[in-house]
Amino acid sequence: NAGVMQNPRHLVRRRGQEARLRCSPVKGHSHVYWYRQLPEEGLKFMVYLQKENIIDESGMPKERFSAEFPKEGPSILRIQQVVRGDSAAYFCASSVLAGNTGELFFGEGSRLTVL
Amino acid sequence: GNSVTQMEGPVTLSEEAFLTINCTYTATGYPSLFWYVQYPGEGLQLLLKATKADDKGSNKGFEATYRKETTSFHLEKGSVQVSDSAVYFCARTMMYSGGGADGLTFGKGTHLIIQP
């Protein structure tokens, strides 16, 4: 009865490299959310996806960041040409309902460090 | 818009003290309100929720009441324990101009430290 699984838990990249973060939602959940947590800034919404669709990407930086949730397989958050400011914890959450009264189930996060 | 404001930490209390962490939200739409807790090195876990005005959410001795008139959802506990040390996030459902509500908007979090 697995919860939200994220990997890798820790990722180190040099400036200019690519980072790929994976998220497998709770079985049966079709809604996936990505959040970024920076020190002193709390948890910031990035993107909301359903299978094969981006519903809301208003929190995603316009450049270098992309997300997908394919029909098969995990959701992927991709950061191209990483910079030091991308260092943060990235959390994935899933839900079975579309918000309002639906609870979000969070993974343990992927901590990205950019050298 | 969608925003949540909660008191800044860290909040340091002695064991068995009374806890209040203030949270206010923007009154757009009819949001559901949540408190999540994050223990060190872990993801967020739902602590309690309330879906309409005057509802009280409760769990593990924590309580919060949805106050529409003051747009507040303050978290309280009568007697805290060392194991309650964590970061607490207040959240509301996001609202869109096109209707529907998906995802959550979080406050910045309040770091609670309970000393023996």
Side-chain angles (χ1 to χ4, degrees):
Chain A
N1 196 17
V4 176
M5 304 299 291
Q6 289 189 247
N7 69 84
R9 290 292 308 277
H10 300 275
L11 182 64
V12 178
R13 285 287 179 267
R14 297 190 181 281
R15 281 179 296 169
Q17 292 184 318
E18 179 180 285
R20 280 189 182 229
L21 310 177
R22 295 173 194 79
C23 169
S24 295
V26 174
K27 188 175 181 180
H29 286 191
S30 57
H31 304 264
V32 166
Y33 310 81
W34 284 93
Y35 286 83
R36 177 163 63 176
Q37 186 176 34
L38 290 162
E40 312 302 327
E41 289 191 21
L43 212 60
K44 296 289 189 184
F45 168 79
M46 298 182 74
V47 62
Y48 161 43
L49 310 106
Q50 294 180 20
K51 286 283 188 182
E52 299 184 279
N53 283 309
I54 297 174
I55 306 303
D56 178 4
E57 56 182 349
S58 60
M60 289 270 277
K62 294 282 188 286
E63 298 176 350
R64 302 187 298 107
F65 284 72
S66 62
E68 63 177 9
F69 187 19
K71 187 176 180 181
E72 302 290 337
S75 175
I76 305 287
L77 180 66
R78 182 182 179 205
I79 311 172
Q80 295 178 289
Q81 299 177 311
V82 296
V83 300
R84 289 220 174 99
D86 296 333
S87 296
Y90 293 83
F91 288 93
C92 173
S94 72
S95 72
V96 64
L97 296 174
N100 210 33
T101 58
E103 174 185 346
L104 293 189
F105 292 80
F106 280 83
E108 295 186 329
S110 292
R111 283 157 179 82
L112 172 65
T113 302
V114 179
L115 301 177
Chain B
N2 304 295
S3 72
V4 174
T5 303
Q6 61 183 105
M7 62 190 294
E8 293 188 17
V11 173
T12 304
L13 296 172
S14 297
E15 205 165 19
E16 299 183 3
F18 184 86
L19 168 72
T20 300
I21 300 178
N22 290 339
C23 171
T24 56
Y25 63 94
T26 51
T28 309
Y30 304 94
S32 293
L33 302 173
F34 304 80
W35 277 99
Y36 278 79
V37 58
Q38 183 183 29
Y39 298 102
E42 298 183 11
L44 278 71
Q45 305 171 28
L46 179 66
L47 180 60
L48 52 85
K49 69 178 184 183
T51 58
K52 61 182 187 298
D54 301 324
D55 268 4
K56 177 186 283 188
S58 61
N59 185 26
K60 299 181 182 179
F62 290 89
E63 291 183 343
T65 301
Y66 190 141
R67 302 279 188 209
K68 189 177 179 183
E69 63 277 11
T70 55
T71 62
S72 65
F73 193 53
H74 304 323
L75 182 69
E76 297 182 337
K77 186 174 184 180
S79 176
V80 292
Q81 307 299 314
V82 172
S83 58
D84 294 327
S85 298
V87 181
Y88 292 81
F89 291 89
C90 186
R92 58 156 287 163
T93 42
M94 298 169 70
M95 297 298 295
Y96 296 89
S97 58
D102 300 282
L104 297 178
T105 295
F106 287 86
K108 290 189 176 182
T110 302
H111 188 191
L112 175 65
I113 301 168
I114 307 300
Q115 297 176 333

